[in-house]
Amino acid sequence: MRTIELLVFLLMMPLLIGCADESFTVEGELEGLGTQNVRVTYAGDDGVSTQVITAEKGRFTFAGCSSSPTVVDFADAQGTLLARVAACNGDRVTIKGNAKHPELATVSGSPANEQWSQFRTSHTALYARRPCAELDHAIEQWVRAHPGEVASTLLLLCDHSTLLADSTQLPLLTSINPEARPKQLITAFEALANYYSRNAATTLRTLTLCGTSGDFETLSLDRRPTVIYCWSVADGDRTACVAACREMAEKDILVADVLLDADTAGWMGNRADAGSKVQHYWSPTGPMNATLKPLRIAATPWFIVADSVGRITYRGSSATEAQKALP
């Protein structure tokens, strides 16, 4: 009987291996994540897919399908990015780290993920201040020194703050060896970026958020250019963003910062550092707040700039670009 079972198993092995090669898996273990829903988003063979899985005691497992290299995002219930990895069918990726510090996560399972992870942990202080010119410069140096590594493409696409906004940076991407910058990976990242922007509101309207009084208040536009700065305590050094908000508020521009953390710890201590002309709000449900959700806030920090009639002229993570978008 055992001989028959062994024969069946041997005959089934090619099928089992084939099934494994038609998917990828990501296993995560993040301290501080607890038990909650985790939203997974990636661009696969059938376009952008978003699914909700459950993390139990900080652990989760996800199986997806993409025959070409793609970028997979994991976000918590508030929409804050927990981890970002590269994967394609056949990969078995492992994430270990802290939910509040994605840049410190150790990712294994492929050379590209391991090099990407090592770069992040080697530049922790710069990631805590992102977006910043120093991090962009460090990425550019690494890419120039490693033109044959897929991690170079991932760093430029996912971690460089101005690659897509600044056309002068595109030659650096094309300088990477063709085999290390697969067209499918770039297409997948662009599809993911477009997904975050697709169907986003084009007009900024009245927002209902928790104000400094502790009650929900209405943030009404008053026919002035408006800047909404969404932030998280986990962003680290917010000096550049706060300074930009203060500078914009001094120019008769309506500026409001919005904390997206579920926990209010740190809000009262941080909210006053942008100057008295900046209005302060909190969204207990993060970017899933009914009035914020149409804005499709993809990460923190995140700026939304609108002109005097409410037309949105900028959405993104760069304080510099937000200032440029003002009339």
Side-chain angles (χ1 to χ4, degrees):
M1 189 68 177
R2 290 180 179 176
T3 302
I4 295 175
E5 290 175 351
L6 178 60
L7 179 60
V8 172
F9 176 75
L10 291 174
L11 291 172
M12 288 293 293
M13 276 190 68
L15 295 175
L16 294 173
I17 294 172
C19 290
D21 288 342
E22 292 177 359
S23 66
F24 63 82
T25 61
V26 181
E27 294 184 358
E29 183 178 351
L30 299 178
E31 182 182 350
L33 179 60
T35 298
Q36 63 168 289
N37 287 338
V38 172
R39 183 173 296 277
V40 188
T41 308
Y42 72 99
D45 296 339
D46 298 323
V48 176
S49 170
T50 181
Q51 301 177 41
V52 176
I53 60 176
T54 301
E56 296 184 0
K57 297 181 179 180
R59 297 172 179 265
F60 59 85
T61 300
F62 174 75
C65 181
S66 178
S67 58
S68 303
T70 190
V71 176
V72 188
D73 283 359
F74 296 84
D76 65 13
Q78 283 72 49
T80 302
L81 189 66
L82 296 168
R84 174 174 276 175
V85 302
C88 67
N89 290 348
D91 285 349
R92 302 293 176 261
V93 181
T94 301
I95 307 168
K96 290 189 177 182
N98 189 298
K100 293 185 178 180
H101 299 284
E103 71 280 1
L104 297 178
T106 299
V107 183
S108 58
S110 71
N113 277 307
E114 289 162 11
Q115 289 179 327
W116 192 11
S117 171
Q118 185 177 17
F119 180 91
R120 286 177 167 178
T121 54
S122 299
H123 297 81
T124 302
L126 295 182
Y127 274 90
R129 295 166 49 201
R130 66 182 303 194
C132 67
E134 292 91 340
L135 177 58
D136 289 344
H137 181 63
I139 290 172
E140 292 161 15
Q141 284 187 314
W142 199 93
V143 169
R144 291 189 181 100
H146 302 85
E149 304 295 345
V150 176
S152 291
T153 300
L154 292 168
L155 282 165
L156 275 180
L157 289 177
C158 302
D159 295 352
H160 195 286
S161 68
T162 63
L163 176 69
L164 298 181
D166 184 356
S167 60
T168 64
Q169 298 294 342
L170 293 179
L172 186 56
L173 179 62
T174 57
S175 72
I176 299 172
N177 295 350
E179 64 273 15
R181 52 175 172 87
K183 182 179 180 181
Q184 302 94 325
L185 179 59
I186 297 173
T187 301
F189 178 80
E190 290 175 341
L192 195 62
N194 290 335
Y195 170 80
Y196 286 133
S197 298
R198 190 168 59 242
N199 299 323
T202 57
T203 302
L204 186 61
R205 303 186 185 279
T206 298
L207 304 177
T208 302
L209 301 161
C210 183
T212 53
S213 66
D215 294 327
F216 279 87
E217 301 174 2
T218 299
L219 170 58
S220 299
L221 311 185
D222 59 0
R223 298 187 181 278
R224 286 189 293 167
T226 302
V227 177
I228 306 296
Y229 162 49
C230 300
W231 64 283
S232 166
V233 173
D235 290 343
D237 186 358
R238 301 189 299 116
T239 303
C241 292
V242 169
C245 287
R246 183 186 300 113
E247 182 180 339
M248 291 184 287
E250 292 293 336
K251 299 179 179 179
D252 194 33
I253 294 167
L254 175 59
V255 181
D257 65 45
V258 182
L259 174 67
L260 297 183
D261 293 346
D263 187 353
T264 61
W267 183 40
M268 299 302 287
N270 286 305
R271 65 181 177 81
D273 59 4
S276 59
K277 293 187 178 181
V278 176
Q279 299 181 34
H280 311 285
Y281 297 91
W282 170 50
S283 172
T285 54
M288 294 299 104
N289 171 283
T291 57
L292 291 179
K293 193 171 183 179
L295 300 174
R296 298 192 72 86
I297 299 166
T300 59
W302 195 256
F303 289 88
I304 299 165
V305 180
D307 61 19
S308 59
V309 295
R311 185 174 59 249
I312 294 175
T313 57
Y314 176 75
R315 302 171 64 252
S317 59
S318 171
T320 301
E321 295 301 318
Q323 290 176 294
K324 290 180 181 178
L326 287 166

